[in-house]
Amino acid sequence: MRQFALVIVLLCSLFNLPAQSVQWASKVLTFSSEYTDPLLGKEYRALHILGRPSKYPKFAASPSAWQSLTPDNPGGEFIIVSFDTAKVIKQVAIFENFGAGSITRVDALDENNRLFLLKEFPNGYALANGQLTRVRLASPTPFKVKSIKITLNSMRVQGYSQIDAIAISDVDTPIEDRIKLEVDPNAYLVKENLGTAINSKFNEICPVVSPDGKKLYFTRWKHPDNLGANKNQDIWVANLNDKQQWDKASLFPSPINNDENNAVCGISPNGKTMLLNNVYGKDGQMEKGVSLSFLLRTGEWSFPKPIRIQNFKNKSEYSEYTLAPNGKVLLMTTETKDSYGGKDIYVSFLKADDTWTEPKNIGSSVNTGESESTPFIAPDGQTMYFSSSGHVGYGNNDIFLTRRLDDSWLNWSVPENVGPVVNTNQWDGYFTVSAKGDFAYFSSVENSMGAEDIYRIKIPDKVKPQTLVQVSGQVINQLSKLPVASKILVRSRASADTMQIDYDPYLGDFSFMWPSKKPFYLEIKSKGFLMKRVNLDFRDQISFSESKQIIGLTPLELNKQFKVPNLNFAQSKSEISKESFASLDEIVSILQDNEGLNVLIEGHTDNQGDWDENLKLSNERVEQVKGYLIKQGIESSRIQAKGWGGTKPLSTSTAEEKRRLNRRVEFSFYVK
């Protein structure tokens, strides 16, 4: 096994200078023309001049830059861009990534759109075909700059000219023209080739690690043991042995493998659902798309079921997919007429009818005028790794990470290059991480045994996903202690994130991953049992941890009284506290799931004070509870409410801690 020890370097691009110093163009106001082609998407459009550059400092022609409609326009060309904040400036940086030398002047527009000349450029000013062209001012502008206008004479340069980005700054510190690599002398990483048990002289790509870290699925191409005469892509799997080494990989069985191209795109957090590339036909034929296979009680995998995505289109021959841990969000690469350029990353959502919504482009923060590929959503459900040639990198395709900023799945952080330990000057992709957050796996051709090989590396802190907790366990009958098939809803207490788990005792424990810094709760339902809610909080965990849960459900018995947990009232008050709504929602859920059931709500107070006032208070409280149930859609004819005052105490003690037990609300279900 070959190992490569490299000093870790952190990508500290000076594109990330403090916000008050550097601003990137954020809006195109107007332009003379832009290049369009009916066979392309949004490549070369003016919108690509916005934000950070894509090719810098390796200047080259790119569809991720603004290019005019024709290479030589006697009338000249121009573009006006604006910035988020109007500010006094001292410099402008223009990234001419191709055909540099056609700029004639740079003007600034103030907040009233008045035009001020900043600099004129003579013919022949460019020193190279691609360069960073600067406007340095002797003193700050006496006005706040809102917009910049670039005027071009396209006749100065033979062929097309492209501008990749425009930045302004209010300080003398140059907008640096290179990526700085800051060496950390105390950190060393090993980029480990997984060796002959996994790799060969053929192509090994698309590594996927099982949630428990004990299985590695990957794709081999042209290997002589692959199925079919053409030796198309097939899925292989290897097991991790007791020595923490990978055993020799074996060919995954049919029907998952067939004579066509096969690949695993992901494994669900419980290890029981497999996401597969392509749609499988019963006749062995395949078509573009994606499928799911499920682990059966026999230990075999089911015949792949197609995921039906509304209006799914793809001009590209290739597409990659990744499924969010909740199983309800699918990210994919596809190329359409609305793509920014080549393949872009899109998102689709699971609907109630088991189909998926029409894919939406996740936006220009991630997608560029060039192709994005191999997206992977980490088990935290927030961090995404992907490969692209449209962001600043070390080679022709680098691996980047971005983090989801909200629940829309359309807002993402500015992509970060994962660094030169992983990225090379060649093609790099298929970056996945283990649930434990310890190792990352990826494909690379650098120092490989032949074509692409699979490598792993200890994940630098900078690019780690959020710390996870693995919650597993059983749901049992509280009385018999036997396992109970049930549905478990996992819901964040701070956001809209949810996850649905079906617990089947015959398939072993339930299991899922959740970010430790996000408190959450479980709602466990099973027919014939009272719903149960369990609050969990692992914010004190700073590294991957495991939590075993044995959850007992109480059988739903008719005409038996149950105390409503956490149903609280202020002293001598009848208003329901907001903290009690969740407990009442459990009753609502039971009544909604069992239309033949009715409920009797009984209220009690302690036996201190006036008897009539206590009776009145108990009636007012149960009427409040009844009103809440009706508001949630339960018919009033299914609800009885009875107040007993202090006539049915659980304890006759005068001690407060004992008397508190008497202040309660109970419910029982019955059939008319």
Side-chain angles (χ1 to χ4, degrees):
M1 184 177 296
R2 290 178 285 173
Q3 296 182 339
F4 304 88
L6 297 176
V7 177
I8 182 173
V9 289
L10 299 179
L11 186 65
C12 295
S13 168
L14 288 187
F15 299 155
N16 295 322
L17 287 170
Q20 69 272 19
S21 296
V22 176
Q23 283 195 81
W24 300 93
S26 59
K27 185 178 181 180
V28 176
L29 297 182
T30 186
F31 52 87
S32 53
S33 71
E34 63 181 1
Y35 186 85
T36 59
D37 186 325
L39 299 178
L40 297 178
K42 298 177 182 177
E43 293 95 324
Y44 306 104
R45 300 286 184 89
L47 62 89
H48 290 297
I49 206 171
L50 303 179
R52 293 165 170 77
S54 60
K55 286 299 180 185
Y56 182 72
K58 296 181 179 180
F59 293 103
S62 170
S64 287
W66 170 58
Q67 180 175 292
S68 58
L69 181 61
T70 59
D72 301 304
N73 180 3
E77 303 282 355
F78 72 90
I79 190 167
I80 302 177
V81 297
S82 64
F83 302 83
D84 285 337
T85 304
K87 64 193 299 184
V88 170
I89 68 170
K90 290 203 69 177
Q91 60 174 309
V92 182
I94 305 162
F95 294 77
E96 297 188 81
N97 65 308
F98 184 75
S102 61
I103 298 175
T104 58
R105 59 184 287 158
V106 176
D107 294 280
L109 287 82
D110 67 9
E111 295 173 287
N112 296 313
N113 290 324
R114 292 178 297 185
L115 198 68
F116 298 88
L117 175 66
L118 296 183
K119 184 175 182 178
E120 290 185 301
F121 288 85
N123 192 12
Y125 71 86
L127 302 178
N129 190 41
Q131 69 176 37
L132 172 54
T133 300
R134 296 183 180 85
V135 176
R136 287 194 177 101
L137 304 177
S139 59
T141 55
F143 56 90
K144 290 185 177 180
V145 174
K146 180 63 176 176
S147 308
I148 291 290
K149 178 181 180 181
I150 309 295
T151 304
L152 309 176
N153 178 355
S154 57
M155 305 293 289
R156 284 184 173 182
V157 176
Q158 185 177 2
Y160 285 102
S161 296
Q162 294 183 347
I163 297 181
D164 195 8
I166 300 173
I168 58 175
S169 176
D170 57 1
V171 297
D172 288 323
T173 304
I175 301 173
E176 292 287 343
D177 60 353
R178 61 190 176 92
I179 293 178
K180 272 196 171 182
L181 299 176
E182 182 179 332
V183 177
D184 180 355
N186 299 313
Y188 293 86
L189 294 181
V190 174
K191 178 179 177 181
E192 177 188 351
N193 187 301
L194 294 189
T196 56
I198 304 297
N199 294 315
S200 68
K201 65 180 181 180
F202 302 96
N203 303 71
E204 281 82 29
I205 58 173
C206 200
V208 175
V209 186
S210 64
D212 61 8
K214 295 181 180 179
K215 287 184 181 295
L216 175 66
Y217 301 88
F218 63 96
T219 297
R220 268 184 175 156
W221 195 6
K222 301 300 182 183
H223 193 280
D225 292 339
N226 281 10
L227 302 181
N230 294 326
K231 305 302 178 185
N232 290 321
Q233 295 178 356
D234 273 349
I235 299 163
W236 290 66
V237 60
N239 296 309
L240 192 69
N241 60 35
D242 294 338
K243 297 179 180 179
Q244 299 301 299
Q245 297 175 336
W246 294 107
D247 290 333
K248 189 172 182 60
S250 59
L251 189 66
F252 205 77
S254 61
I256 306 301
N257 275 329
N258 56 28
D259 290 353
E260 302 297 328
N261 288 313
N262 313 115
V264 174
C265 301
I267 300 289
S268 64
N270 63 5
K272 298 171 184 177
T273 302
M274 184 182 292
L275 185 70
L276 299 166
N277 203 11
N278 293 321
V279 171
Y280 287 65
K282 294 292 185 180
D283 59 357
Q285 297 299 307
M286 307 278 270
E287 62 183 65
K288 288 181 181 180
V290 64
S291 304
L292 292 173
S293 179
F294 305 96
L295 185 64
L296 304 174
R297 291 183 176 184
T298 60
E300 299 175 325
W301 289 89
S302 68
F303 188 85
K305 171 187 173 183
I307 288 179
R308 298 301 183 189
I309 306 171
Q310 292 180 354
N311 298 323
F312 174 77
K313 299 174 184 178
N314 187 9
K315 291 165 56 179
S316 173
E317 182 182 354
Y318 303 102
S319 190
E320 300 96 3
Y321 304 86
T322 180
L323 191 65
N326 65 6
K328 297 180 179 180
V329 183
L330 183 70
L331 289 155
M332 69 197 77
T333 58
T334 184
E335 182 180 358
T336 74
K337 65 179 181 179
D338 295 324
S339 298
Y340 289 96
K343 289 189 304 177
D344 279 0
I345 301 175
Y346 287 73
V347 63
S348 176
F349 302 95
L350 180 63
K351 297 169 52 178
D353 63 0
D354 207 31
T355 63
W356 294 73
T357 62
E358 181 176 349
K360 289 184 178 181
N361 194 299
I362 67 170
S364 58
S365 289
V366 173
N367 293 317
T368 69
E370 305 200 36
S371 285
E372 279 65 50
S373 61
T374 67
F376 171 75
I377 280 289
D380 66 1
Q382 183 167 338
T383 306
M384 180 174 68
Y385 304 91
F386 66 98
S387 183
S388 176
S389 56
H391 297 280
V392 173
Y394 298 91
N396 59 14
N397 235 73
D398 274 15
I399 297 165
F400 298 84
L401 76 84
T402 179
R403 302 187 195 273
R404 180 166 59 92
L405 300 178
D406 59 29
D407 295 328
S408 72
W409 291 79
L410 300 176
N411 295 315
W412 298 82
S413 66
V414 175
E416 301 174 58
N417 192 299
V418 300
V421 175
V422 172
N423 290 317
T424 68
N425 61 1
Q426 303 181 63
W427 190 96
D428 300 290
Y430 296 106
F431 189 92
T432 63
V433 299
S434 65
K436 291 184 177 181
D438 50 0
F439 286 101
Y441 296 79
F442 57 96
S443 296
S444 179
V445 298
E446 185 182 54
N447 298 314
S448 67
M449 297 179 181
E452 291 102 332
D453 276 359
I454 295 174
Y455 293 79
R456 77 172 184 177
I457 192 171
K458 285 190 175 181
I459 306 178
D461 288 339
K462 177 187 176 186
V463 299
K464 277 186 176 181
Q466 294 183 65
T467 299
L468 297 175
V469 58
Q470 182 178 34
V471 181
S472 60
Q474 299 177 336
V475 180
I476 63 171
N477 183 320
Q478 187 66 53
L479 301 180
S480 69
K481 308 304 180 184
L482 295 176
V484 176
S486 52
K487 292 185 179 296
I488 304 172
L489 176 67
V490 188
R491 189 184 297 276
S492 171
R493 283 155 54 186
S495 70
D497 287 343
T498 62
M499 182 185 300
Q500 178 77 50
I501 300 166
D502 290 327
Y503 170 57
D504 183 348
Y506 289 95
L507 292 176
D509 291 358
F510 70 79
S511 180
F512 66 91
M513 307 282 183
W514 195 264
S516 60
K517 73 174 185 179
K518 292 184 177 181
F520 61 101
Y521 62 86
L522 312 179
E523 284 184 357
I524 306 97
K525 295 182 180 180
S526 184
K527 194 171 183 62
F529 292 83
L530 298 179
M531 185 183 77
K532 186 168 187 176
R533 176 175 292 205
V534 178
N535 287 305
L536 296 172
D537 191 338
F538 297 95
R539 282 178 288 184
D540 59 341
Q541 300 295 321
I542 60 174
S543 60
F544 178 84
S545 60
E546 299 178 61
S547 175
K548 187 82 170 181
Q549 300 287 325
I550 305 297
I551 302 169
L553 295 185
T554 302
L556 180 59
E557 300 179 55
L558 297 181
N559 304 311
K560 178 181 178 180
Q561 290 180 328
F562 299 93
K563 183 179 182 297
V564 180
N566 303 317
L567 182 52
N568 302 314
F569 297 92
Q571 183 72 33
S572 302
K573 301 292 184 181
S574 61
E575 290 78 16
I576 304 170
S577 65
K578 292 181 179 180
E579 293 76 15
S580 303
F581 292 164
S583 296
L584 292 178
D585 287 341
E586 296 183 22
I587 300 176
V588 173
S589 179
I590 293 170
L591 293 171
Q592 288 174 338
D593 294 341
N594 300 273
E595 293 184 2
L597 285 184
N598 302 283
V599 65
L600 170 63
I601 307 166
E602 299 175 273
H604 305 269
T605 67
D606 61 29
N607 53 12
Q608 302 297 304
D610 184 82
W611 188 94
D612 290 330
E613 288 298 321
N614 285 338
L615 180 62
K616 179 183 176 183
L617 180 60
S618 65
N619 276 304
E620 289 174 347
R621 287 177 172 175
V622 293
E623 285 299 325
Q624 285 282 331
V625 173
K626 180 178 179 179
Y628 182 86
L629 300 185
I630 292 173
K631 189 176 180 180
Q632 303 308 310
I634 305 301
E635 296 177 5
S636 61
S637 59
R638 299 176 64 190
I639 308 167
Q640 286 191 57
K642 176 70 174 177
W644 295 99
T647 60
K648 293 187 176 184
L650 293 178
S651 173
T652 58
S653 172
T654 58
E656 170 58 24
E657 63 270 16
K658 296 293 185 180
R659 285 169 41 216
R660 188 182 298 115
L661 299 175
N662 298 327
R663 301 194 289 266
R664 67 197 189 279
V665 172
E666 296 172 329
F667 66 94
S668 56
F669 296 102
Y670 65 96
V671 178
K672 288 183 179 179

